[in-house]
Amino acid sequence: MSLKRMAACLSAASLLAGAPIAAQTSEGTSVTAPTSTPTAEKRDHSYTHHGITISDPYHWLKDQGYPVVDDEDILAYVKAENAWFETRMEPQKALVDELYEEMKARIKEDDSTVPQKDGDWLYWTEFEEGAEYRKWYRKPVAGGDKVLILDENQLAEGLDYFRLGAFSVSKSGRYLAYSTDTNGSERFTIVIKDLETGEMLADEIPGTRSGPTWVMGDKGIVYGKSTEQWRTHDATLHVLGTPVSEDVELYRETEEEGFSVATGLTAQEDWLVIATGDNETSEIRLVRADDPTGEQILVAPRKRGREYDVDVRDGVLYVHTNDDHVNFRLATASLDKPGEWKTLIPGSDEFYLSGFELFKDFYVTEGRLRGLDQIQLRSYADPNLVKPVAFTEASFSTGLSNNPEYDTDRLRLAYESMVTPDSVFDYHVKTGELELLKQQEIPSGYDPSLYKVERIEVKARDGTLVPVSIVSLKDRPMGGALHLYAYGAYGFAYPPNFSTTRLSLVDRGFAFAIAHIRGGDDLGRNWYLQGKLNERTNTFNDFVDVAKGLIDRGYTQKGKISASGGSAGGELMGVVLNTDPDLWGAVVAHVPFVDVLNTMLDKDLPLTPGEWPEWGNPIESKQAFAYILSYSPYDQVIAQDYPPLLVTAGLNDPRVTYWEPAKWVAKLREYKTDDNELLLKTNMGAGHGGKSGRFASIYEVAEEYAFILWQLGMTK
């Protein structure tokens, strides 16, 4: 949504096999490690839908008390898999440490962000040498000393996991509302700090999923609570200094179980936006930010398949919607008749209009043209006057960064490519000058001239041309190892970005390729639609066909391709392992969404109802049931050779619950006919994103890359 301050928005002995040896897990727990693979029991369980009966003997790995996971048998199996992971990776520990030190050496430990003006203050963050987390600072624009306003390291002290969620300063600059998650469950606690005195207010709101959005000046915040299923169905007002029990519910979603509610402010911060919707349908209300309990304006009632988001400038409503073109248009309306939309920028087959931002003297549209990011400045007086921000590289990722002020003559932009480190620019609106303020520093050294980036197209089996971005050393011989990555879901276009960790593979002779497959919106909204619901298998076919195309063009060879993906990208890994196991030399699936059918059948899981527009509803539709069953990785495991596979999970993950990868690995162990490595690592105190902290997280990347190099015989 184009809002300036959008709020920030799961008996033990029978499970084990092998004689014990002493071992230590990466989480520091002493365990008994097996000398052969763990084996999960098979327990009779089946279910029937639409006359089709499915046997699921590993169903018991789902703790029926979830989100509490305390079943001793389940924990014993998960811990046994962790011990097996440690045992098998122990000979590679020196390589893991080597990779970790490489990656760590590329991080500027005492780093800071570029200060940004917001009102009377400049705000920025700093990392100190050796610190896992940031410190947040500000100082007066008029001059004065810097002031530490938040220390994440202090908040994270003694915790296995820490994540800062929302960070929002009130309009006057006096109060800071922020939220934290200390176990990876994605339920946050909001607290308020008085930045003038440094004191914490008594106000504390646990169990939130959205917010806080400041309203009524410094007097109140609007937030959303998490339901038992990790959904947000409310927008609730809390007035500072009053008991949380007296908070006022401004809106509650009661019609659609899968909808989620979020809030934010318009560009001039005079309207509170209350939005509800799912992956394909929107409904928005506006209410005065200085009177949030007042009369609400319904912009337009929900209409299945219609998405829209809004902003307001000087009483004019701006609406970004897909109502008459799949690639969206921008329209205007009066607040008196908010549902009567008049086209300002029509939808285009060529340009995908992904969003917009309003400023005092101009507005900005963002999108993609032929798959490349675009930033365009536009005039309120003349909608045909378009001023694009130009970049010269053939493939790159760019977009608006943090621009908190409505009245500005410069724009903060973010830019990177597969060879250009993260860069921060100010774009001077009047002159068109791009001023480089900061580029990511790599202390151990980095020479971009040693690398080359290519953007090619590979023809998929249905004739569709799929873009692929590739980075490699300029002197890399063809036919060597290649790592292939993709996501391919929810309309998320995975960018051709820069990665310091990726260099550890590229410098060892890998080509690193990103496949811009259908399911993302890389080439426009239709690109996304062609990879969802009944066209979901296009995503998987694209990935396989890109791999085969790269082989045909001599970039690599069969068996020399490593592949990885996470979450929905982990589902992708699961499918291509089943369909084309001989292509891959090693595969890594992070928190993989692999038990698709069971999850989509369980409406009580955190995200399921909201996911039906993406995957289909197999409860109501026999066709959706059969289609999901036809590709669901867990259900399609068969007796065949599988390539080496590393799987990760998070015990507290509410997005892809821990039992999905656990069940999948258990079934693979039963069916696979090879002796290749199969490892499962479950983070016992983390969620969907793995371990927190900048160093702990890259250690897990080092483990992933060590596994790949080990399996491809490239450890020397």
Side-chain angles (χ1 to χ4, degrees), residues 378-578:
R378 294 178 180 264
S379 164
Y380 290 112
D382 183 358
N384 295 315
L385 184 60
V386 182
K387 190 176 178 182
V389 180
F391 294 100
T392 59
E393 290 188 86
S395 181
F396 56 84
S397 174
T398 190
L400 290 178
S401 183
N402 179 32
N403 290 279
E405 295 195 325
Y406 174 68
D407 187 359
T408 184
D409 60 358
R410 64 185 66 189
L411 292 172
R412 183 65 51 86
L413 309 181
Y415 178 88
E416 61 186 314
S417 77
M418 295 182 82
V419 295
T420 302
D422 295 354
S423 305
V424 179
F425 288 92
D426 265 356
Y427 178 81
H428 296 262
V429 175
K430 290 183 179 179
T431 65
E433 176 195 357
L434 269 174
E435 179 187 2
L436 178 63
L437 303 179
K438 181 182 177 67
Q439 189 170 85
Q440 180 182 1
E441 183 180 335
I442 303 173
S444 61
Y446 171 69
D447 183 356
S449 69
L450 299 177
Y451 305 89
K452 64 179 178 180
V453 172
E454 300 171 82
R455 188 174 175 92
I456 66 171
E457 293 180 324
V458 174
K459 184 177 291 188
R461 64 196 65 182
D462 64 357
T464 300
L465 294 176
V466 180
V468 186
S469 298
I470 309 168
V471 63
S472 64
L473 288 167
K474 285 183 177 178
D475 60 359
R476 171 189 178 266
M478 297 291 276
L482 180 143
H483 188 81
L484 186 60
Y485 183 87
Y487 183 70
Y490 299 106
F492 173 69
Y494 196 86
N497 60 352
F498 185 78
S499 166
T500 58
T501 56
R502 183 189 298 154
L503 293 172
S504 289
L505 288 182
V506 174
D507 287 349
R508 285 172 171 81
F510 277 74
F512 195 106
I514 298 171
H516 303 286
I517 56 180
R518 284 173 282 186
D521 64 358
D522 308 63
L523 298 186
R525 199 64 172 177
N526 266 327
W527 200 248
Y528 162 50
L529 298 178
Q530 291 171 28
K532 68 179 290 192
L533 292 174
N534 296 328
E535 298 187 75
R536 179 63 183 154
T537 51
N538 283 333
T539 301
F540 317 133
N541 294 341
D542 284 357
F543 191 81
V544 169
D545 295 343
V546 164
K548 291 178 178 178
L550 292 170
I551 293 171
D552 291 343
R553 298 190 188 196
Y555 283 92
T556 188
Q557 302 173 44
K558 183 181 290 189
K560 287 192 175 183
I561 304 176
S562 59
S564 66
S567 195
E571 175 206 49
L572 169 65
M573 296 300 104
V575 173
V576 302
L577 280 169
N578 286 332

Side-chain angles (χ1 to χ4, degrees), residues 21-33 79 83 86:
I21 59 174
Q24 192 85 359
T25 72
S26 61
E27 303 198 353
T29 305
S30 181
V31 299
T32 298
K79 290 176 181 178
E86 298 292 340

Side-chain angles (χ1 to χ4, degrees), residues 96-115:
V96 174
D97 291 343
E98 176 187 334
L99 290 163
Y100 172 71
E101 291 301 328
E102 281 180 17
M103 295 173 185
K104 187 177 178 183
R106 298 189 190 108
I107 296 175
K108 188 175 189 299
E109 295 199 26
D110 54 340
D111 203 3
S112 62
T113 59
V114 179

